[in-house]
Amino acid sequence: MHRPIAVRGLRPLLLTALLLGLAGSALIVPPAPFTPAAHATAAPHPAPARLSPASTPASPSASDDDAYWTPQRMAAAEPVAADRSGPVKGNRSLRAARTSAEADPVPPSHPFDGLPQVGTFFWTDGTNTGRFCGGTVVRSPLRNLVVTAAHCLRAPDPKRHLSFVPQYHDGLKPHGIYPVDRIYLDQRYYDLGTNGGARWDYAVVRLGARADGAEVEDVTGGYDLVPYPGYDHRDVRLIGYPGNSDATHPKPLDCTSSTHRYTSTDPAAPGDFLEIACAGYIGGTSGGPFLVRDFTGYALIGVIGGYHTGGDFPDVSYSSYFTFDTLALYLHAVRGDTPAAPRIPSS
C-alpha cells in the first residue's frame, strides 16, 4: 500500500511553495474575495469574463452565531442544496450501481458521537433555510483550517450565520462554534460546475476564533492533509453526517472499508476518484472525511464529493483525488489570500 506524505508544519509548506513556484502559475488560482454573506469579487483574470461584484463583509461573530444555532435550528437544518447537473446521491440500491467493489459485502455503518476533529458547517441560505455539510480540521500554522467538499459551498447565494461546529451530535456543540472567515475553492470548480469540475470538489475553509479567542485546532486537534495518497487503501474510516432523515437524534455515521480507483465513464464528469463502499451514506453526508492511520493518529486523504457530488447510491461514495491543486488552496488559506469567486459573463 502506498504510504502518503502528509503536510505538517512550516518546513513542508516551504517545500510545497517552492514546488508550486517551479510548476508555474497553472497551479495557483488568481484570487478573489469572499464574504460570509455571499461569494464576492475576484481580482482580474485573463479569461474573457469578469468576477462577481464585491460587497463589504460584516465581521463574523462567534457569539452571535452561537446564540443563533440552537439545538432546534441545527436539528432542523437540511442537506446542502447543490446545483447538481448529474444524479443526486439518493436512496437507491447499490445493486444498480457499477462499482469495482460490488462483488464484496458492503461494510455497515453505525451512528456514534463523533470525533473532535470532524464536524458540521451550518448556515442559512437565501430562503432562510438552515443548511449543513461536513468538514474536518487539518493541521496548519495558524491552527484555523477545515477541509470540506467544494459543492457544499459553491453556490453564490447568501450564507448567513455560516459557522463550524466540531463533533456536532444530538444538538450539542461540545467544542463551541467557529465563524467562517474565508472559503477557498479552485477557480476551475466555479467555472466548470459540480460535474465538469468534479476532480476539484474540495474546499479549504479558514475559520475565525471561538468567542473566547481559541482557535479550532487548539481545541480539537487536527489531522494531516495528504496530497497524492494513492488510491488503494485497505482500512479507511469514512465519517458522514446524514442529518435528520434517518435518525431521531442526529449523529454522524462511521464505517471502515477499503478504497479503490474509479475512472469516470461519464464524459460530463471526467476524472479519477477514490471509491469506497460503506452502507447508508445518503444525501447530507457530503464533506465527510476519508481517514487513514498515520504516525500521529489519522490523516485526511479525501472528502465525500467529487464524482456526481459523492455518488448516486448510498452504499458507494467518492472523493476527488488530492493533488498539488489541493495544496495550492491550502497555501492560499494559510497566507490569507483573497479567494476565487464565481464569474459574471462579459456583456
Side-chain angles (χ1 to χ4, degrees):
M1 184 171 66
H2 185 276
R3 180 173 295 280
I5 300 174
V7 175
R8 299 191 64 201
L10 292 176
R11 187 174 302 173
L13 282 175
L14 293 174
L15 175 59
T16 300
L18 175 61
L19 290 173
L20 289 172
L22 291 175
S25 60
L27 290 175
I28 302 296
V29 180
F34 161 80
T35 88
H39 291 148
T41 55
H45 191 282
R50 61 192 179 88
L51 299 163
S52 306
S55 60
T56 302
S59 298
S61 168
S63 57
D64 290 347
D65 290 346
D66 196 13
Y68 180 83
W69 287 113
T70 62
Q72 294 76 20
R73 283 179 170 147
M74 290 189 291
E78 300 177 8
V80 61
D83 54 336
R84 299 168 179 176
S85 55
V88 175
K89 192 171 181 69
N91 296 303
R92 291 174 286 170
S93 169
L94 170 66
R95 300 307 165 206
R98 194 204 69 76
T99 168
S100 61
E102 66 183 349
D104 299 326
V106 178
S109 62
H110 63 275
F112 77 129
D113 285 346
L115 301 175
Q117 299 87 346
V118 181
T120 308
F121 288 100
F122 287 102
W123 69 95
T124 60
D125 63 15
T127 65
N128 206 36
T129 300
R131 299 289 182 183
F132 71 89
C133 211
T136 304
V137 180
V138 295
R139 292 187 173 96
S140 63
L142 298 181
R143 311 179 72 77
N144 61 354
L145 299 186
V146 174
V147 174
T148 184
H151 74 263
C152 291
L153 301 172
R154 176 179 181 270
D157 62 313
K159 295 176 178 62
R160 299 182 177 88
H161 305 292
L162 176 54
S163 302
F164 182 68
V165 179
Q167 203 177 356
Y168 169 72
H169 67 91
D170 300 297
L172 302 177
K173 295 174 278 189
H175 308 287
I177 191 167
Y178 301 79
V180 167
D181 179 23
R182 293 188 172 193
I183 297 172
Y184 294 84
L185 277 66
D186 194 293
Q187 185 69 57
R188 289 161 290 193
Y189 194 77
Y190 281 125
D191 294 347
L192 297 174
T194 55
N195 271 347
R199 69 187 67 190
W200 297 287
D201 190 2
Y202 42 72
V204 182
V205 180
R206 184 170 171 135
L207 301 180
R210 200 170 60 180
D212 63 359
E215 301 292 350
V216 65
E217 190 185 333
D218 289 327
V219 176
T220 67
Y223 296 139
D224 295 336
L225 174 64
V226 180
Y228 297 101
Y231 291 91
D232 295 326
H233 298 270
R234 285 185 300 175
D235 296 308
V236 177
R237 193 171 184 183
L238 186 70
I239 298 173
Y241 281 86
N244 275 353
S245 58
D246 67 348
T248 303
H249 301 289
K251 293 178 183 288
L253 296 177
D254 193 12
C255 171
T256 299
S257 186
S258 59
T259 57
H260 309 277
R261 184 174 190 156
Y262 174 70
T263 300
S264 171
T265 58
D266 180 357
D272 293 317
F273 304 92
L274 287 174
E275 178 188 77
I276 189 169
C278 269
Y281 283 72
I282 61 174
T285 55
S286 290
F290 288 54
L291 299 173
V292 295
R293 286 283 185 184
D294 72 358
F295 297 113
T296 62
Y298 285 107
L300 181 69
I301 65 169
V303 294
I304 298 175
Y307 179 71
H308 291 178
T309 61
D312 304 331
F313 307 94
D315 293 348
V316 180
S317 298
Y318 297 90
S319 171
S320 302
Y321 191 63
F322 288 176
T323 67
F324 277 128
D325 293 340
T326 320
L327 292 184
L329 288 185
Y330 177 90
L331 288 173
H332 284 318
V334 167
R335 293 195 303 250
D337 294 338
T338 306
R343 304 177 197 272
I344 295 177
S346 298
S347 56

